[in-house]
Amino acid sequence: MIEISAEGGGRPVEVGTRSRVPETLPVLPLRETVPLPDTLTPLAIGQERSIQLVNDVLAGDRLLVMVASRSPELETPGPDELHDVGVVGAVARMIKVPDGSLRILVQGAQRVKLSDWVGEDPYLVAHVAELPDVVRESPELTALTRNVQETFTRIVEQVPYLPEELQLAVANIDDPSTLSHLIAGSLRLPTEEKQALLEEVDVGRRLRRLAEVLARELEVISIGSEIQSQVQSEIDKGQREYVLRQQLKAIQDELGEFDESAEEARELRDQLADVELPADVRKQVDRELHRLEQLPAQAAEHGVIRSYLEWIAMLPWGTSTADDLDLAHAREVLDEDHYDIEQVKDRILEFLAVRKLKGGRGEVSRGTILCFAGPPGVGKTSLGKSVARALGRKFERISVGGVRDEAEIRGHRRTYIGAMPGTIIRALRDAGSDNPLFMIDEIDKMGADFRGDPSSAMLEVLDPEQNATFRDHYLDVPFDLSKVMFICTANDLDRVPGPLRDRMEIIQLAGYTEDEKLQIAKRYLVPRQVERNGLKKSWIAIGDKALRRIISDYTREAGVRGLEREIGTICRKAARVVAESTNGAAPKKLNVTPEKVRELLGRAKVHSEAKRRTQTPGVATGLAWTPVGGDVLFIEASATPGTGKLLLTGQLGDVMKESAQAALTWVKASAHEIAPDLGDAWFADHDVHVHVPAGATPKDGPSAGITMATALASLISKRCVREEIAMTGEITLTGQVLPIGGLKEKALAAQRNGIRTIIAPALNEADAEDIPEHLRKRLRFIWVAEIGDVLDAALQSPA
């Protein structure tokens, strides 16, 4: 290693003096280093052109210009990549390293500005002009100087990489410019920030900017110190607690006392000893209790095991309620809460009869799984409550609508943080008995995604052959669900998976007739709304005619929710009248008549459209089944000049589109019988458009086949369809009428829309027995086997 000093060769220079700066000097680019006047800068030189530059200046006057690069990633920056302001420096010392690179120490002198470039080969040379400081003596400058000195002194005290000697050096510097350069060179600042300080010629502004930088650095150092102090405090606290716990354990062992964990384990053991657990569950509980006794209270698993054992203790193992097997009482309760629905009441009474006969002899009957299927508002959920009251069982409602996670049914495994049992086990805990009635609401609205399929998890719950050993993931022990009576509710059975539907006994709850709604309103809805709205029976009376007006003109639904809502509106208006009376006398009784209904509820909300819609040939009235009850469907057919195409609109499903095609094919084949005057080329020269209004609602199914055929026949024969007739049935290419489903719901829809004649397949004649007798007497059914019979009954006579 060779060292060359100022005395080692070349012309000596007095380092640190501010002699006149030459007009032209070689330029030494610096990477991620900003030189400052009056400071020593150590540099490592490795590039060929920089080594040659250093050798040349050492042979001359040792002067060069140090300039920071704008782009530190560039190996050999050109003039455009360098800042315009640098520092003239004198090479005070140079050391040659064995690898060929140099180590030099440069004493910074004047700040200069590079004006233009003289050369770039073999190294950069530029014209330079000195940039002297601008000093304006003032009290503010003195205050800034002192502030910078004090702040930097505080930083030196807290930062390990700054030597303590800097405090003394800074205190002894009176020149504010030299002070700013010394402090800026000592701190680890970003390159751009240091360059900005170098380029600032006004000493006052430079000190102000430096004061801001120092304040920021001091805040960062303070925050770091607080974090370090907190971490150290937590470590010390943890060590202290550990030592104290060890000492406490030693003292308890010496005194023969139990710690908190052992005390909790003993309480749980006493609590679980009073529970009649099955043998395999008892074995699991004893194992977990032993583990709990061995763990300290601060162990992570201690809380998990304690929660698990508490759940075991809270479940109703072997705790049952006695069924009320009095059939007369059960019938009285069911009749008191619900009108009609005899099929459901009979099924509940049959269940009680079996329990009564088998009670005390042999095996107890297995759990019953029923499914009430029907449109909204027909009383499915409230019926479940009545069944529980009739049986004397605890009632728990479980809503599974929108559930997408299988763990909601089976629970989470204990390996997960915050794990807990599924909704079945939680409901058993809430019921407090192992034979409650579970109402599983909206079972057709369960979903499935990446977290699992909850409907598949329900297969075990609702299977009498499996649910005696139902295993929740959290408990991981079997629990007997065979004594539980499950009642599910659904609007659309098609959305319930087949295997799950197969495990349930389906009981259909169709909509109510107008007479049934009237009785329900008189017996249940009106008294309930009168009470809820703070009225007395002597203050309001709603007559039968008024109720019928509400049913026919303000609601069109299968259930009675809308009806109760309208009755509630009338009661609220009556309550306002009573509340606003100020004379102190008893309020005058409000008798609600059909005319008063119009005054209280406004104009009618629903109207029968059959007469208006069927005044034009090509329109037929059909009947449809939907998850919310039956409905009336108008099918329109029209023809325009074209090439024989069939256009279908109204959001029709594939099955309904095929029905339309089959209907058109049959009409084409029978065109001369339907319309003798129709030309042979009529279908070839016209496009037929079949539209089913309410285009925003998807529609599908084959039962509109005869309706579509009737609409097409009406179109080509120019004969209107009778306004009092609605129809349902599937059509074949040979003109046969096939049976359909949901006849009762469709008949109820016809009644709600003022239709009195229904054309239906002859093969469905036996299904008419499901329709209430009082409704059958008001409706006229025309049973048909072929489409020709439909047209004879539905189309008006030729003009």
Side-chain angles (χ1 to χ4, degrees), residues 456-517:
S456 298
M458 293 296 292
L459 293 176
E460 180 185 4
V461 176
L462 299 181
D463 190 344
E465 301 296 331
Q466 302 180 41
N467 61 13
T469 56
F470 172 72
R471 187 178 291 265
D472 185 272
H473 286 160
Y474 180 83
L475 298 181
D476 201 27
V477 292
F479 193 97
D480 186 3
L481 300 180
S482 62
K483 299 178 183 178
V484 178
M485 181 175 184
F486 292 97
I487 296 181
C488 306
T489 70
N491 298 131
D492 186 1
L493 286 174
D494 292 337
R495 297 177 60 182
V496 180
L500 185 58
R501 189 167 60 246
D502 184 59
R503 285 164 166 76
M504 301 183 292
E505 180 180 342
I506 308 296
I507 297 179
Q508 292 284 352
L509 293 175
Y512 296 115
T513 66
E514 183 176 317
D515 290 343
E516 290 171 340
K517 289 182 179 181

Side-chain angles (χ1 to χ4, degrees), residues 5 49 69 73 117 122 266 364 409 427 452 458 530 556 713 743 768:
S5 65
R49 68 172 184 174
S69 172
E73 66 273 8
W117 296 90
R266 186 172 66 253
V364 178
I409 307 299
M458 293 296 292
V530 167
R556 181 169 291 173
L743 183 63

Side-chain angles (χ1 to χ4, degrees), residues 101-164:
S101 61
L102 305 177
R103 301 291 185 268
I104 64 174
L105 190 63
V106 183
Q107 173 66 54
Q110 296 93 327
R111 176 177 55 241
V112 294
K113 182 178 179 62
L114 282 62
S115 56
D116 56 346
W117 296 90
V118 177
E120 298 182 23
D121 189 35
Y123 45 77
L124 301 176
V125 180
H127 285 299
V128 298
E130 187 175 354
L131 284 177
D133 286 332
V134 177
V135 181
R136 299 181 179 88
E137 295 291 340
S138 65
E140 182 183 4
L141 183 64
T142 303
L144 284 171
T145 303
R146 292 178 182 177
N147 177 267
V148 168
Q149 287 175 325
E150 293 174 1
T151 307
F152 184 70
T153 300
R154 292 169 60 189
I155 291 176
V156 172
E157 293 174 352
Q158 300 185 50
V159 176
Y161 71 82
L162 294 177
E164 295 180 358

